[in-house]
Amino acid sequence: MHPRILEVTERLIARSRPTRERYLQLIRGAAGDGPMRARLQCANFAHGVAGCGSDDKQALRLTNAANVAIVSAYNDLLSAHQPYEHYPERIKQALREIGSVGQFAGGVPAMCDGVTQGEPGMELGIASREVIAMSTAIALSHNLFDAALMLGICDKIVPGLLMGALRFGHLPILFVPGGPMPSGISNKEKAEVRQRYAEGKASREELLESEMKSYHSPGTCTFYGTANTNQLLMEVMGLHLPGASFVNPYTPLRDALTDEAARQVTRLTKANGGFMPLGEIVDEKVLVNSVVALHATGGSTNHTLHIPAIAQAAGIQLTWQDMADLSEVVPTLCHVYPNGKADINHFQAAGGMAFLIRQLLDAGLLHEDVNTIVGHGLRRYTQEPFLDGERLVWREGPLQSLDETILRPVARPFSAEGGLRVMEGNLGRGVMKVSAVATEHQVVEAPARVFHDQQELADAFKAGELERDFVAVVRFQGPRCNGMPELHKMTPFLGVLQDRGFKVALVTDGRMSGASGKIPAAIHVCPEAYDGGPLARVRDGDIVRVDGREGTLLVRVSAEELASRELPAAPLGNDLGCGRELFGFMRQALSSAEKGASAFTQELEGCK
């Protein structure tokens, strides 16, 4: 093992020992002996199975049948989740064939960030993760289940499902992916049309045609944003079947993997002798593995929020500093849009997860001695699934990348370090996705232009006010102020200005996207402006330095001058409309970005 990986892991274990031990006590106490349903009162049990067919009812009266909860984020608005419409019945049938039962235990909400970008609904994004976690807990609260399958893919959905599931960590739980849509037009072409539209050089009809050719069928969007990062991390964490993440929907192999997921989760139950609950899988080593994979692939910046929140749900105290220290020694092995021109299907064809995991294991960058849903040891995940006739089999994955413009070995990385940088200075702490930013653009020092929402920046661009070097400071976008929406709407405008030769950068207490692109952007800055963080005191014209190479985030103003400035009032009107008023209580409970922007941090720490 690489000494830095061991160092970070050991200090994480030491820091987390009190809370992790209490978490393990909680789930081990909940596990008990035998099926949960056997301990229910007769009336409770009868209520729980009243909707089942007679064969399923009879199976559930016996103690040797597994009852598997199905928790799904299906809806038609998310192309990635549309295939889940057919999963519950398929899973139930696969379970019946082995003498077990599946019950649809609950649906969780699933919003599409692609639909809500730049709209008021985006301000519900982080709150939706917390609601998903709570919905998952409600689904599993009936104590009828021996195991569970989680059906979710996209941005806040997988983190929310996992956070909720970890509070039922005494159950074997497996995540079931749906796969990416086939490739449409290239991401490079899509980005070019967006940028031409921002400049007024493409019509709305041309833009719509381009977008429809990119997002064109059921399946996950093909760029390497938060959704596909979720899938990659679930596999590296051992919560997917090996090689399951990036198999396209509505294919025989995809269906076979779904059936096998149903069978495999029953093998992990106590009755079948291979008991492996979720809480015993997601430990410090697995979380370090997830961060290593995030860095090695240039994954979504949103996971600097999600991974600490997931860790907290498992009683583990992961910090941005842990993530930054790992980034220094983990090489970048992937170039998938927005970090390159290829999409996730091209990544899969070049060698995919099997090649990536083999490279990281062989280099001592991943812990191999971890629990997974297919047994102990991560080496199994260097295999790929295939159909041998109608039989699902696994074979060793490729030993070499088939396209080193997309996926490289550790010996020839795109960069010697990972894709994320922790930014720190007198403006607070934030993160930058440096893997997507060209070296010559990673350092910008220029006058600030302050905005209170992304529409203000768009209006200034259209008015011709931004034809110069500047650092856009977009504040009052943090979790407690307005729910921390993604600010992806600004990307085309800033991209145009950078292409015109201006030095531009972004500093914000909000989020960009899993598709954060070529503009140097210090995001998730905390303390947020709403809480009186330094961003609130920046004024137009202040010189701001955004240094992605050194990880510094500074305003060239003395501490005395900064402290003497009057704090501006937060903008009004972002707490009403589009249901935002229903989430006021949750916004006030959200922690800082560095603690995962979670409403549950204090509650879980209170369990100490």
Side-chain angles (χ1 to χ4, degrees):
M1 289 296 298
H2 191 289
R4 177 67 62 81
I5 308 297
L6 290 175
E7 174 195 339
V8 172
T9 305
E10 287 164 4
R11 79 181 185 214
L12 182 58
I13 290 171
R15 182 192 310 130
S16 305
R17 188 165 286 116
T19 47
R20 179 63 177 173
E21 287 178 354
R22 287 181 176 86
Y23 172 77
L24 291 174
Q25 289 172 5
L26 175 72
I27 66 168
R28 288 167 183 169
D33 295 318
M36 290 284 186
R37 63 185 183 277
R39 285 176 260 159
L40 292 178
Q41 297 289 331
C42 292
N44 300 59
F45 176 78
H47 272 288
V49 302
C52 294
S54 58
D55 290 345
D56 285 351
K57 283 183 182 178
Q58 182 58 30
L60 291 175
R61 294 181 72 165
L62 306 175
T63 58
N64 59 348
N67 190 24
V68 178
I70 303 167
V71 180
S72 177
Y74 159 72
N75 70 39
D76 285 336
L77 280 172
L78 283 82
S79 60
H81 289 197
Q82 187 275 340
Y84 283 148
E85 178 182 6
H86 310 290
Y87 276 41
E89 196 52 48
R90 183 171 200 98
I91 289 167
K92 290 177 186 179
Q93 183 56 37
L95 290 168
R96 288 188 188 109
E97 290 171 1
I98 57 171
S100 291
V101 176
Q103 285 189 287
F104 191 93
V108 304
M111 63 178 286
C112 179
D113 288 18
V115 175
T116 58
Q117 287 286 357
E119 300 294 324
M122 174 53 77
E123 296 180 10
L124 306 185
I126 287 294
S128 79
R129 184 191 66 186
E130 314 301 273
V131 173
I132 291 162
M134 292 188 288
S135 300
T136 303
I138 291 170
L140 298 177
S141 67
H142 298 94
N143 276 344
L144 279 165
F145 307 114
D146 306 293
L149 295 171
M150 299 286 139
L151 278 54
I153 294 170
C154 291
D155 296 5
K156 267 62 70 183
I157 299 152
V158 164
L161 286 168
L162 184 50
M163 289 162 65
L166 279 165
R167 306 315 295 174
F168 291 78
H170 59 284
L171 294 175
I173 295 177
L174 193 154
F175 279 68
V176 185
M181 68 178 68
S183 301
I185 65 168
S186 72
N187 286 298
K188 181 176 184 292
E189 182 180 349
K190 175 186 69 178
E192 287 173 349
V193 175
R194 286 179 175 178
Q195 196 154 307
R196 287 196 298 111
Y197 179 74
E199 295 180 274
K201 296 177 180 177
S203 68
R204 179 176 172 82
E205 289 73 20
E206 289 175 284
L207 177 65
L208 180 58
E209 182 68 15
S210 168
E211 299 292 341
M212 294 289 281
K213 287 179 178 177
S214 178
Y215 307 112
H216 62 95
S217 75
T220 312
C221 304
T222 58
F223 64 87
Y224 189 44
T226 309
N228 282 320
T229 306
N230 282 340
Q231 301 313 291
L232 183 139
L233 296 186
M234 289 301 98
E235 188 160 336
V236 169
M237 293 171 75
L239 300 177
H240 279 176
L241 290 173
S245 296
F246 302 122
V247 176
N248 300 123
Y250 295 109
T251 61
L253 180 57
R254 176 83 275 157
D255 291 343
L257 286 164
T258 301
D259 294 346
E260 180 62 14
R263 293 188 289 265
Q264 180 61 25
V265 81
T266 68
R267 298 181 188 120
L268 305 179
T269 60
K270 283 193 170 182
N272 284 288
F275 186 54
M276 181 50 63
L278 176 68
E280 304 280 358
I281 293 178
V282 181
D283 64 5
E284 295 89 346
K285 290 180 179 179
V286 163
L287 284 161
V288 166
N289 283 353
S290 75
V291 176
V292 168
L294 181 73
H295 291 322
T297 58
S300 168
T301 53
N302 282 324
H303 285 85
T304 61
L305 304 175
H306 298 324
I307 295 177
I310 290 165
Q312 185 72 228
I316 298 169
Q317 312 298 324
L318 183 79
T319 69
W320 277 358
Q321 193 59 54
D322 296 327
M323 300 178 83
D325 289 347
L326 291 169
S327 183
E328 290 179 356
V329 301
V330 176
T332 300
L333 303 183
C334 300
H335 267 185
V336 183
Y337 185 84
N339 307 332
K341 297 178 181 179
D343 69 23
I344 203 68
N345 292 311
H346 304 140
F347 163 82
Q348 177 76 352
M353 296 300 297
F355 178 82
L356 175 71
I357 291 173
R358 185 189 304 279
Q359 285 292 310
L360 294 172
L361 281 172
D362 290 349
L365 294 168
L366 289 177
H367 291 284
E368 186 172 348
D369 60 330
V370 293
N371 294 321
T372 78
I373 56 98
V374 292
H376 189 77
L378 193 59
R379 186 65 60 172
R380 174 73 191 277
Y381 284 78
T382 63
Q383 297 180 330
E384 291 183 327
F386 293 90
L387 283 178
D388 182 4
E390 295 185 358
R391 189 168 64 98
L392 181 63
V393 298
W394 273 266
R395 303 172 189 159
E396 284 303 313
L399 300 179
Q400 295 181 332
S401 171
L402 301 180
D403 188 340
E404 290 197 10
T405 68
I406 300 169
L407 180 59
R408 290 188 180 180
V410 170
R412 293 185 295 280
F414 290 101
S415 170
E417 63 167 346
L420 290 170
R421 177 90 71 245
V422 171
M423 307 290 288
E424 188 168 15
N426 64 354
L427 284 178
R429 282 167 62 84
V431 296
M432 180 189 287
K433 185 174 179 177
V434 293
S435 59
V437 182
T439 303
E440 64 270 23
H441 296 310
Q442 289 180 6
V443 180
V444 174
E445 184 166 333
R449 177 70 189 267
V450 178
F451 303 97
H452 286 177
D453 64 49
Q454 56 185 339
Q455 187 59 49
E456 287 184 2
L457 186 147
D459 292 343
F461 173 84
K462 293 171 184 176
E465 299 172 7
L466 302 181
E467 302 286 324
R468 55 186 173 85
D469 296 350
F470 73 101
V471 174
V473 176
V474 184
R475 63 194 182 192
F476 294 108
Q477 305 298 311
R480 283 166 49 80
C481 185
N482 68 346
M484 207 179 192
E486 287 186 350
L487 305 175
H488 193 49
K489 186 175 182 178
M490 300 182 296
T491 301
F493 305 114
L494 294 173
V496 166
L497 294 167
Q498 182 175 276
D499 288 350
R500 290 176 181 171
F502 298 112
K503 289 185 174 294
V504 294
L506 170 69
V507 178
T508 181
D509 48 9
R511 294 183 295 132
M512 285 298 282
S513 166
S516 298
K518 63 187 183 181
I519 305 301
I523 63 176
H524 304 177
V525 175
C526 53
E528 63 176 284
Y530 183 79
D531 287 335
L535 280 189
R537 300 178 190 272
V538 176
R539 293 179 178 171
D540 283 344
D542 288 345
I543 301 301
V544 173
R545 181 175 180 84
V546 180
D547 187 337
R549 295 177 197 157
E550 298 297 323
T552 54
L553 180 60
L554 300 169
V555 59
R556 302 292 192 188
V557 175
S558 70
E560 295 76 16
E561 164 69 12
L562 207 60
S564 70
R565 291 180 177 178
E566 184 177 348
L567 289 172
L572 300 176
N574 62 11
D575 56 351
L576 289 174
C578 202
R580 289 176 292 180
E581 58 274 15
L582 301 178
F583 292 86
F585 76 98
M586 186 176 286
R587 286 194 296 273
Q588 294 307 306
L590 292 175
S591 64
S592 70
E594 189 160 10
K595 287 194 171 185
S598 175
F600 307 136
T601 303
Q602 291 181 347
E603 285 76 1
L604 296 178
E605 288 179 346
C607 294
K608 295 179 184 179

PDB file of all heavy atoms in Angstrom, residues 266-286:
ATOM      1  N   THR A 266     -29.923 -12.076  -1.474  1.00  0.00           N
ATOM      2  CA  THR A 266     -30.435 -13.117  -0.576  1.00  0.00           C
ATOM      3  C   THR A 266     -29.305 -13.983  -0.026  1.00  0.00           C
ATOM      4  O   THR A 266     -29.412 -14.517   1.080  1.00  0.00           O
ATOM      5  CB  THR A 266     -31.455 -14.029  -1.288  1.00  0.00           C
ATOM      6  OG1 THR A 266     -30.799 -14.808  -2.298  1.00  0.00           O
ATOM      7  CG2 THR A 266     -32.577 -13.220  -1.905  1.00  0.00           C
ATOM      8  N   ARG A 267     -28.218 -14.141  -0.786  1.00  0.00           N
ATOM      9  CA  ARG A 267     -27.081 -14.931  -0.301  1.00  0.00           C
ATOM     10  C   ARG A 267     -26.391 -14.262   0.881  1.00  0.00           C
ATOM     11  O   ARG A 267     -25.649 -14.912   1.622  1.00  0.00           O
ATOM     12  CB  ARG A 267     -26.062 -15.139  -1.433  1.00  0.00           C
ATOM     13  CG  ARG A 267     -26.620 -15.913  -2.625  1.00  0.00           C
ATOM     14  CD  ARG A 267     -25.550 -16.113  -3.704  1.00  0.00           C
ATOM     15  NE  ARG A 267     -26.144 -16.680  -4.901  1.00  0.00           N
ATOM     16  CZ  ARG A 267     -26.136 -16.108  -6.109  1.00  0.00           C
ATOM     17  NH1 ARG A 267     -25.548 -14.920  -6.272  1.00  0.00           N
ATOM     18  NH2 ARG A 267     -26.706 -16.698  -7.144  1.00  0.00           N
ATOM     19  N   LEU A 268     -26.624 -12.961   1.051  1.00  0.00           N
ATOM     20  CA  LEU A 268     -25.981 -12.213   2.126  1.00  0.00           C
ATOM     21  C   LEU A 268     -26.788 -12.221   3.412  1.00  0.00           C
ATOM     22  O   LEU A 268     -26.354 -11.646   4.417  1.00  0.00           O
ATOM     23  CB  LEU A 268     -25.750 -10.761   1.679  1.00  0.00           C
ATOM     24  CG  LEU A 268     -24.953 -10.567   0.381  1.00  0.00           C
ATOM     25  CD1 LEU A 268     -24.821  -9.080   0.066  1.00  0.00           C
ATOM     26  CD2 LEU A 268     -23.575 -11.200   0.479  1.00  0.00           C
ATOM     27  N   THR A 269     -27.972 -12.838   3.407  1.00  0.00           N
ATOM     28  CA  THR A 269     -28.820 -12.867   4.589  1.00  0.00           C
ATOM     29  C   THR A 269     -28.358 -13.951   5.559  1.00  0.00           C
ATOM     30  O   THR A 269     -27.684 -14.911   5.179  1.00  0.00           O
ATOM     31  CB  THR A 269     -30.290 -13.109   4.214  1.00  0.00           C
ATOM     32  OG1 THR A 269     -30.398 -14.374   3.546  1.00  0.00           O
ATOM     33  CG2 THR A 269     -30.807 -12.004   3.298  1.00  0.00           C
ATOM     34  N   LYS A 270     -28.756 -13.818   6.814  1.00  0.00           N
ATOM     35  CA  LYS A 270     -28.350 -14.792   7.830  1.00  0.00           C
ATOM     36  C   LYS A 270     -28.839 -16.195   7.500  1.00  0.00           C
ATOM     37  O   LYS A 270     -28.129 -17.179   7.718  1.00  0.00           O
ATOM     38  CB  LYS A 270     -28.878 -14.360   9.195  1.00  0.00           C
ATOM     39  CG  LYS A 270     -28.072 -13.236   9.815  1.00  0.00           C
ATOM     40  CD  LYS A 270     -28.422 -13.052  11.286  1.00  0.00           C
ATOM     41  CE  LYS A 270     -27.438 -12.087  11.931  1.00  0.00           C
ATOM     42  NZ  LYS A 270     -27.696 -11.915  13.376  1.00  0.00           N
ATOM     43  N   ALA A 271     -30.046 -16.275   6.953  1.00  0.00           N
ATOM     44  CA  ALA A 271     -30.618 -17.596   6.674  1.00  0.00           C
ATOM     45  C   ALA A 271     -29.802 -18.359   5.645  1.00  0.00           C
ATOM     46  O   ALA A 271     -29.816 -19.599   5.624  1.00  0.00           O
ATOM     47  CB  ALA A 271     -32.060 -17.445   6.194  1.00  0.00           C
ATOM     48  N   ASN A 272     -29.074 -17.627   4.787  1.00  0.00           N
ATOM     49  CA  ASN A 272     -28.303 -18.287   3.729  1.00  0.00           C
ATOM     50  C   ASN A 272     -26.820 -18.424   4.063  1.00  0.00           C
ATOM     51  O   ASN A 272     -26.031 -18.860   3.224  1.00  0.00           O
ATOM     52  CB  ASN A 272     -28.491 -17.536   2.407  1.00  0.00           C
ATOM     53  CG  ASN A 272     -29.840 -17.840   1.785  1.00  0.00           C
ATOM     54  OD1 ASN A 272     -30.074 -18.928   1.288  1.00  0.00           O
ATOM     55  ND2 ASN A 272     -30.748 -16.873   1.848  1.00  0.00           N
ATOM     56  N   GLY A 273     -26.433 -18.004   5.255  1.00  0.00           N
ATOM     57  CA  GLY A 273     -25.104 -18.314   5.750  1.00  0.00           C
ATOM     58  C   GLY A 273     -23.989 -17.379   5.363  1.00  0.00           C
ATOM     59  O   GLY A 273     -22.866 -17.517   5.856  1.00  0.00           O
ATOM     60  N   GLY A 274     -24.237 -16.429   4.481  1.00  0.00           N
ATOM     61  CA  GLY A 274     -23.170 -15.510   4.055  1.00  0.00           C
ATOM     62  C   GLY A 274     -23.420 -14.103   4.533  1.00  0.00           C
ATOM     63  O   GLY A 274     -23.202 -13.150   3.794  1.00  0.00           O
ATOM     64  N   PHE A 275     -23.865 -13.957   5.780  1.00  0.00           N
ATOM     65  CA  PHE A 275     -24.344 -12.679   6.297  1.00  0.00           C
ATOM     66  C   PHE A 275     -23.297 -11.565   6.138  1.00  0.00           C
ATOM     67  O   PHE A 275     -22.170 -11.673   6.621  1.00  0.00           O
ATOM     68  CB  PHE A 275     -24.710 -12.815   7.771  1.00  0.00           C
ATOM     69  CG  PHE A 275     -25.359 -11.589   8.356  1.00  0.00           C
ATOM     70  CD1 PHE A 275     -26.477 -11.026   7.764  1.00  0.00           C
ATOM     71  CD2 PHE A 275     -24.856 -11.007   9.510  1.00  0.00           C
ATOM     72  CE1 PHE A 275     -27.094  -9.896   8.308  1.00  0.00           C
ATOM     73  CE2 PHE A 275     -25.459  -9.889  10.070  1.00  0.00           C
ATOM     74  CZ  PHE A 275     -26.583  -9.336   9.468  1.00  0.00           C
ATOM     75  N   MET A 276     -23.684 -10.521   5.400  1.00  0.00           N
ATOM     76  CA  MET A 276     -22.813  -9.360   5.214  1.00  0.00           C
ATOM     77  C   MET A 276     -23.684  -8.111   5.122  1.00  0.00           C
ATOM     78  O   MET A 276     -24.169  -7.743   4.050  1.00  0.00           O
ATOM     79  CB  MET A 276     -21.960  -9.503   3.949  1.00  0.00           C
ATOM     80  CG  MET A 276     -21.007  -8.323   3.714  1.00  0.00           C
ATOM     81  SD  MET A 276     -20.003  -7.861   5.156  1.00  0.00           S
ATOM     82  CE  MET A 276     -19.037  -9.361   5.375  1.00  0.00           C
ATOM     83  N   PRO A 277     -23.929  -7.467   6.255  1.00  0.00           N
ATOM     84  CA  PRO A 277     -24.774  -6.276   6.247  1.00  0.00           C
ATOM     85  C   PRO A 277     -24.028  -5.053   5.704  1.00  0.00           C
ATOM     86  O   PRO A 277     -22.789  -5.001   5.717  1.00  0.00           O
ATOM     87  CB  PRO A 277     -25.122  -6.099   7.724  1.00  0.00           C
ATOM     88  CG  PRO A 277     -23.970  -6.699   8.460  1.00  0.00           C
ATOM     89  CD  PRO A 277     -23.492  -7.839   7.606  1.00  0.00           C
ATOM     90  N   LEU A 278     -24.798  -4.078   5.261  1.00  0.00           N
ATOM     91  CA  LEU A 278     -24.233  -2.875   4.645  1.00  0.00           C
ATOM     92  C   LEU A 278     -23.250  -2.168   5.565  1.00  0.00           C
ATOM     93  O   LEU A 278     -22.183  -1.720   5.129  1.00  0.00           O
ATOM     94  CB  LEU A 278     -25.374  -1.920   4.263  1.00  0.00           C
ATOM     95  CG  LEU A 278     -24.965  -0.570   3.683  1.00  0.00           C
ATOM     96  CD1 LEU A 278     -24.333  -0.743   2.313  1.00  0.00           C
ATOM     97  CD2 LEU A 278     -26.165   0.377   3.603  1.00  0.00           C
ATOM     98  N   GLY A 279     -23.596  -2.047   6.849  1.00  0.00           N
ATOM     99  CA  GLY A 279     -22.756  -1.297   7.773  1.00  0.00           C
ATOM    100  C   GLY A 279     -21.398  -1.913   8.009  1.00  0.00           C
ATOM    101  O   GLY A 279     -20.465  -1.225   8.446  1.00  0.00           O
ATOM    102  N   GLU A 280     -21.255  -3.211   7.727  1.00  0.00           N
ATOM    103  CA  GLU A 280     -19.958  -3.874   7.859  1.00  0.00           C
ATOM    104  C   GLU A 280     -19.137  -3.754   6.574  1.00  0.00           C
ATOM    105  O   GLU A 280     -17.954  -4.082   6.555  1.00  0.00           O
ATOM    106  CB  GLU A 280     -20.146  -5.361   8.204  1.00  0.00           C
ATOM    107  CG  GLU A 280     -20.968  -5.628   9.450  1.00  0.00           C
ATOM    108  CD  GLU A 280     -20.178  -5.457  10.749  1.00  0.00           C
ATOM    109  OE1 GLU A 280     -18.969  -5.156  10.663  1.00  0.00           O
ATOM    110  OE2 GLU A 280     -20.773  -5.612  11.835  1.00  0.00           O
ATOM    111  N   ILE A 281     -19.776  -3.297   5.488  1.00  0.00           N
ATOM    112  CA  ILE A 281     -19.055  -3.051   4.230  1.00  0.00           C
ATOM    113  C   ILE A 281     -18.506  -1.629   4.207  1.00  0.00           C
ATOM    114  O   ILE A 281     -17.323  -1.405   3.930  1.00  0.00           O
ATOM    115  CB  ILE A 281     -19.974  -3.294   3.015  1.00  0.00           C
ATOM    116  CG1 ILE A 281     -20.337  -4.781   2.903  1.00  0.00           C
ATOM    117  CG2 ILE A 281     -19.311  -2.799   1.729  1.00  0.00           C
ATOM    118  CD1 ILE A 281     -21.283  -5.097   1.767  1.00  0.00           C
ATOM    119  N   VAL A 282     -19.360  -0.659   4.489  1.00  0.00           N
ATOM    120  CA  VAL A 282     -18.964   0.750   4.376  1.00  0.00           C
ATOM    121  C   VAL A 282     -18.191   1.141   5.631  1.00  0.00           C
ATOM    122  O   VAL A 282     -18.756   1.556   6.637  1.00  0.00           O
ATOM    123  CB  VAL A 282     -20.185   1.657   4.165  1.00  0.00           C
ATOM    124  CG1 VAL A 282     -19.744   3.118   4.022  1.00  0.00           C
ATOM    125  CG2 VAL A 282     -20.958   1.229   2.925  1.00  0.00           C
ATOM    126  N   ASP A 283     -16.867   0.988   5.559  1.00  0.00           N
ATOM    127  CA  ASP A 283     -15.996   1.347   6.676  1.00  0.00           C
ATOM    128  C   ASP A 283     -14.957   2.361   6.205  1.00  0.00           C
ATOM    129  O   ASP A 283     -15.044   2.894   5.083  1.00  0.00           O
ATOM    130  CB  ASP A 283     -15.354   0.098   7.282  1.00  0.00           C
ATOM    131  CG  ASP A 283     -14.412  -0.625   6.310  1.00  0.00           C
ATOM    132  OD1 ASP A 283     -14.173  -0.112   5.193  1.00  0.00           O
ATOM    133  OD2 ASP A 283     -13.918  -1.709   6.670  1.00  0.00           O
ATOM    134  N   GLU A 284     -13.969   2.631   7.049  1.00  0.00           N
ATOM    135  CA  GLU A 284     -12.982   3.660   6.724  1.00  0.00           C
ATOM    136  C   GLU A 284     -12.203   3.322   5.457  1.00  0.00           C
ATOM    137  O   GLU A 284     -11.931   4.207   4.628  1.00  0.00           O
ATOM    138  CB  GLU A 284     -12.018   3.855   7.899  1.00  0.00           C
ATOM    139  CG  GLU A 284     -12.669   4.412   9.162  1.00  0.00           C
ATOM    140  CD  GLU A 284     -13.217   3.327  10.090  1.00  0.00           C
ATOM    141  OE1 GLU A 284     -13.341   2.165   9.645  1.00  0.00           O
ATOM    142  OE2 GLU A 284     -13.511   3.646  11.254  1.00  0.00           O
ATOM    143  N   LYS A 285     -11.817   2.065   5.288  1.00  0.00           N
ATOM    144  CA  LYS A 285     -11.045   1.680   4.102  1.00  0.00           C
ATOM    145  C   LYS A 285     -11.871   1.856   2.830  1.00  0.00           C
ATOM    146  O   LYS A 285     -11.358   2.319   1.796  1.00  0.00           O
ATOM    147  CB  LYS A 285     -10.572   0.241   4.231  1.00  0.00           C
ATOM    148  CG  LYS A 285      -9.493   0.029   5.283  1.00  0.00           C
ATOM    149  CD  LYS A 285      -9.068  -1.436   5.346  1.00  0.00           C
ATOM    150  CE  LYS A 285      -7.970  -1.651   6.371  1.00  0.00           C
ATOM    151  NZ  LYS A 285      -7.570  -3.075   6.458  1.00  0.00           N
ATOM    152  N   VAL A 286     -13.131   1.488   2.885  1.00  0.00           N
ATOM    153  CA  VAL A 286     -14.004   1.620   1.711  1.00  0.00           C
ATOM    154  C   VAL A 286     -14.207   3.090   1.360  1.00  0.00           C
ATOM    155  O   VAL A 286     -14.229   3.457   0.177  1.00  0.00           O
ATOM    156  CB  VAL A 286     -15.337   0.893   1.977  1.00  0.00           C
ATOM    157  CG1 VAL A 286     -16.417   1.332   0.998  1.00  0.00           C
ATOM    158  CG2 VAL A 286     -15.138  -0.618   1.879  1.00  0.00           C
TER     159      VAL A 286
END
